Amino acid sequence: MPLCWLEIVECEMIARAAKHVLDSYLTEHCGSAALQPAQTIASFFSALLSSGEESAAETEERLNNQDKTSNTNGSKQGKGKASDWIIPDDDDVSTLILSKSGGGGDAVPLRVRGRGQIWDAIETEVGRRFRYSLTLYNNSKTNNSRSLFLPLLRRLCQKTGVRLIARDYNLGGKCLCGGGGGNISASYPISPVDIVDVIPMVKHAAAQGEGFVPYSYGTAAGAPSLHILLPDAKATLEAAHMYWSGRALPKALDLAQEAASLYQRVVDTPLHASVARCMELTAVILFQAQEPELAAANASRSLAVAVQLGGFDCAEAVTAHSTLAHILLSSGDMAGGVKHLRAALYLMELMGGPRYAELCNVYHKLGGMYYESGMGIEALRFYQEAANRKSCDRMVVSMVAKNTALVLAALGQFKPALENEKRAFGIYSLILGEDHELTKNSATNLQHFMRLAVEQSKRLAVEERKRLEEEAADAIASQIEATEVEEEEKKKKKKKKKHKKKN
């Protein structure tokens, strides 16, 4: 099982549990905490996106370092740097309070909870909803090495509707959950002034699912805008997939376009998930029918619809970027294809973390494109990055090692090439056997690289020996020259002494 699966599942559990825990914090005591929502939300997020809580000495040291950095940059609050932590002043605080509270009754906001209390509530909610105990987060044994803090921040914002200022947050370190009484104080790494907005979240919408059917009392009258039902469009799309699988491309294209038209007539807008799927299928069919320009246009429209519906970082956007990249690369547009492929790579790591299973494949593909373009150094960097990423497919690991060996050999680094070819040969022998063509080819390359590595080592040894001999000769020559200069100086001194005696 890929390592990323457990990481993604636990991240999703925490995000879904956090939505309910934060809602309970904001609504307790007749909603008194909602008078200062920025303080509650910032402290809550800071606790979840950290590995521990700061002591008073650590907080003081961090603030002193912040002041020194701000003074060095000539700005009290470090404006212009995305990574600086912002300390709210009185004007900022006044804008974060919805109304003044007081009176000593139940409406007085309680002190903000600490990190331990927040995580206890999260673990309780996860256990109640999913019957599961967290193993990667808030666990001192694992040292938080596999905690996905950036994907967790993304999912927290999506689940709770919180919008933050775009800057470089220090995630995964120690936090400060400030605030209490009726006062607002700074939290870390997310400050109350980082909260831009809280958007109401809608869980369900009409006509979003495939089985939406209008209700009619008595005889079926049907709404004018729903005279064609979504099941009909769904059946048309399924028929398009069936004809496409059977390589009947003209019929499949007609049905895919008809399905897209049916969906738009039902929902009165092209912004629907099924419309995006129809456009993507149309793009694939046109690409197989040798119409790359039309295919790229439909893939671009599918990407635009996916981004409008789910945001730039939704799973559908990743698929659309990958599809469009494949079409552009196959049609010869290397710049556009690489741009979309790198966008898909960025979104994969943002959503799934650095150990996402597909990252190795994408880095390997990018390395191959740069190598074909004659950019060996850049290709080597992508292959090395692919080798550092975890992959559950050992054949992919072998291909990365083999291509790395070829690039290193082309760059004249035969010893590292030999090591990578050995790794590829071992995997081929284990999985495919000794008689497979790939194994035999790898064995031939292994012998070739070994011979070249030996020849290169001998040549380097001879060159090193010559260099050492030249250095020794230069040292002896310098010593002889110094001795001659010293003797000449002595002779000059003797001549001067004799001249003085004669005078």
Side-chain angles (χ1 to χ4, degrees):
M1 183 181 74
L3 294 176
C4 64
W5 287 4
L6 179 60
E7 298 169 359
I8 295 174
V9 168
E10 287 204 6
C11 177
E12 187 66 21
M13 288 181 181
I14 294 172
R16 296 190 180 195
K19 176 182 66 174
H20 300 283
V21 174
L22 181 59
D23 180 67
S24 67
Y25 287 171
L26 293 174
T27 57
E28 66 180 353
H29 294 282
C30 301
S32 60
L35 297 174
Q36 300 173 357
Q39 178 70 77
T40 304
I41 295 171
S43 300
F44 184 78
F45 276 35
S46 297
L48 293 182
L49 300 170
S50 61
S51 57
E53 196 162 5
E54 287 182 343
S55 62
E58 291 172 337
T59 302
E60 184 177 359
E61 181 181 0
R62 176 172 53 79
L63 293 176
N64 291 333
N65 294 333
Q66 175 73 18
D67 292 337
K68 291 179 182 179
T69 304
S70 299
N71 294 332
T72 302
N73 296 333
S75 174
K76 185 176 179 180
Q77 292 187 359
K79 292 182 179 179
K81 289 188 65 178
S83 59
D84 284 337
W85 179 63
I86 302 173
I87 302 175
D89 54 20
D90 295 337
D91 294 335
D92 295 328
V93 170
S94 63
T95 61
L96 299 176
I97 301 176
L98 297 181
S99 61
K100 298 294 182 181
S101 61
D106 292 339
V108 176
L110 300 178
R111 181 170 295 278
V112 175
R113 294 167 175 81
R115 183 180 182 277
Q117 293 175 298
I118 293 174
W119 270 108
D120 288 342
I122 291 293
E123 291 174 349
T124 301
E125 189 70 15
V126 169
R128 186 178 71 85
R129 290 184 174 274
F130 304 105
R131 302 295 188 268
Y132 181 79
S133 297
L134 298 175
T135 59
L136 303 181
Y137 292 83
N138 195 36
N139 191 340
S140 58
K141 296 181 180 179
T142 59
N143 197 24
N144 299 300
S145 60
R146 292 177 58 189
S147 301
L148 304 179
F149 291 108
L150 186 57
L152 178 59
L153 175 60
R154 169 183 168 271
R155 291 300 293 155
L156 286 174
C157 292
Q158 289 179 335
K159 285 294 182 182
T160 59
V162 175
R163 297 176 63 191
L164 299 177
I165 291 176
R167 66 182 183 88
D168 186 11
Y169 294 98
N170 184 21
L171 306 179
K174 291 190 175 182
C175 72
L176 172 64
C177 301
N183 302 320
I184 286 184
S185 61
S187 56
Y188 181 81
I190 297 178
S191 175
V193 297
D194 293 328
I195 309 298
V196 177
D197 199 359
V198 181
I199 302 173
M201 304 301 294
V202 179
K203 188 174 183 180
H204 298 289
Q208 185 64 29
E210 295 289 356
F212 177 76
V213 180
Y215 173 77
S216 60
Y217 182 77
T219 59
S225 60
L226 295 175
H227 58 281
I228 300 174
L229 302 182
L230 287 178
D232 298 334
K234 181 181 178 182
T236 305
L237 181 59
E238 290 176 351
H241 275 283
M242 182 184 66
Y243 280 103
W244 172 60
S245 301
R247 307 298 297 177
L249 298 183
K251 185 64 175 178
L253 179 60
D254 293 339
L255 289 174
Q257 293 175 340
E258 181 182 355
S261 176
L262 291 176
Y263 277 117
Q264 293 184 51
R265 290 168 65 185
V266 173
V267 298
D268 290 331
T269 176
L271 297 180
H272 193 273
S274 297
V275 175
R277 287 195 291 269
C278 293
M279 291 180 178
E280 186 174 0
L281 178 59
T282 302
V284 174
I285 294 173
L286 288 170
F287 175 72
Q288 294 182 356
Q290 305 299 321
E291 294 289 345
E293 294 182 359
L294 295 176
N298 280 272
S300 299
R301 286 195 287 270
S302 175
L303 173 61
V305 173
V307 171
Q308 286 290 326
L309 289 174
F312 79 97
D313 58 344
C314 63
E316 291 77 11
V318 177
T319 304
H321 275 297
S322 301
T323 302
L324 183 55
H326 178 69
I327 293 172
L328 292 175
L329 290 172
S330 301
S331 59
D333 187 0
M334 296 295 293
V338 169
K339 181 183 72 173
H340 285 283
L341 194 58
R342 297 195 72 162
L345 180 66
Y346 169 78
L347 293 176
M348 287 178 187
E349 190 160 359
L350 175 65
M351 298 166 61
R355 285 168 291 276
Y356 185 63
E358 292 298 321
L359 291 177
C360 180
N361 295 335
V362 180
Y363 276 113
H364 176 249
K365 185 182 295 185
L366 283 169
M369 288 187 295
Y370 276 93
Y371 182 65
E372 291 175 358
S373 301
M375 306 171 68
I377 300 296
E378 290 77 6
L380 179 60
R381 291 173 181 171
F382 278 106
Y383 284 142
Q384 290 173 342
E385 188 65 30
N388 294 331
R389 303 290 178 161
K390 299 294 183 181
S391 177
C392 56
D393 190 350
R394 301 196 67 182
M395 289 301 297
V396 174
V397 176
S398 64
M399 288 189 294
V400 170
K402 184 175 185 60
N403 290 327
T404 304
L406 294 175
V407 174
L408 287 170
L411 296 175
Q413 303 179 23
F414 297 112
K415 188 174 181 180
L418 177 62
E419 295 175 357
N420 282 275
E421 191 65 41
K422 282 182 180 179
R423 191 179 302 114
F425 177 75
I427 297 175
Y428 287 147
S429 301
L430 180 64
I431 298 178
L432 303 176
E434 299 290 342
D435 298 330
H436 196 273
E437 188 65 27
L438 288 176
T439 308
K440 294 179 180 179
N441 185 24
S442 180
T444 303
N445 290 339
L446 193 62
Q447 295 177 359
H448 180 63
F449 292 154
M450 187 179 299
R451 184 175 65 256
L452 293 176
V454 171
E455 293 176 356
Q456 188 181 48
S457 299
K458 291 179 179 179
R459 186 173 63 255
L460 292 176
V462 172
E463 292 176 356
E464 181 69 16
R465 186 165 59 251
K466 288 182 179 180
R467 187 182 64 81
L468 293 175
E469 290 176 355
E470 290 176 356
E471 289 180 356
D474 291 341
I476 293 172
S478 299
Q479 185 176 3
I480 293 172
E481 186 178 356
T483 303
E484 290 177 352
V485 171
E486 186 178 356
E487 290 179 355
E488 289 180 359
E489 290 291 335
K490 288 181 179 180
K491 289 179 180 180
K492 289 180 180 180
K493 288 180 180 180
K494 287 180 180 181
K495 288 181 179 180
K496 288 181 180 181
K497 287 180 180 180
K498 287 180 181 181
H499 184 69
K500 288 180 180 180
K501 285 180 181 181
K502 288 180 180 180
N503 293 333

